[in-house]
Amino acid sequence: MARLPAPLSYSQQVAIFSRLRDANPAPVTELRHGNAFQLVVAVALSAQATDAGVNRATEQLFATVTTPQQMLDLGLDGLTEQIKTIGLFRQKAKNVMKLSQILVESYGGEVPASRAALMRLPGVGRKTANVVLNCIFGHPAQAVDTHIFRVANRTRIAPGRDVEAVERAIEDHVPAPFQQNAHHWLILHGRYVCQARRPRCAICPIEDLCPYEEKTP
């Protein structure tokens, strides 16, 4: 198995993230939500779906459902009808109902600020938990998805063979001042600039700092 390339140096990391910060000083998740519970639901629904698709499905739902108890009052059939445009909607609806029940029974209807507790909720994996910890509770947690995995390896910001390795590499190598927003900058960069099939190198703000060899003209 080929060895992974070394991550960029501290000074290179500072240069790259300084530019990403200058372009977007206060990045936020594109999943629309009004509180911690709605964000848990939105991220759980986003698996194998786009943020835009989730936002369309939850716009009416979140107008009336803001708490786990209100979700339980809506019921499985009601939720299923609301999110039927999202992939795997039937299983996701069941998970949302189950996690709502757990939040009501075990946490007084509040979302816990613990990765372990979050990951015990049905349909909530490490990525979902990290999104909630970062966006709601201000933890410098790194929610690594396919976009971040691609960008982290292409740029050598945080090389890794799997998402957990990339998560650890971001924590180990990205300078502390950029840790809180690192995953936002990387996911947005991967979504709109460093795209999978044809990266948009001509508009990339870090093109001259990026070691990726297969740049597009």
Side-chain angles (χ1 to χ4, degrees), residues 83-102:
I83 66 169
K84 64 184 180 181
T85 57
I86 300 175
L88 307 176
F89 68 95
R90 295 188 189 280
Q91 183 58 50
K92 290 177 180 179
K94 292 176 183 178
N95 286 338
V96 169
M97 299 307 295
K98 290 176 182 176
L99 71 84
S100 298
Q101 187 73 43
I102 292 171

Side-chain angles (χ1 to χ4, degrees), residues 56 85 100 113-114 174 180 206:
R56 285 192 295 271
T85 57
S100 298
S114 158
V174 172
Q180 179 62 40
I206 61 171

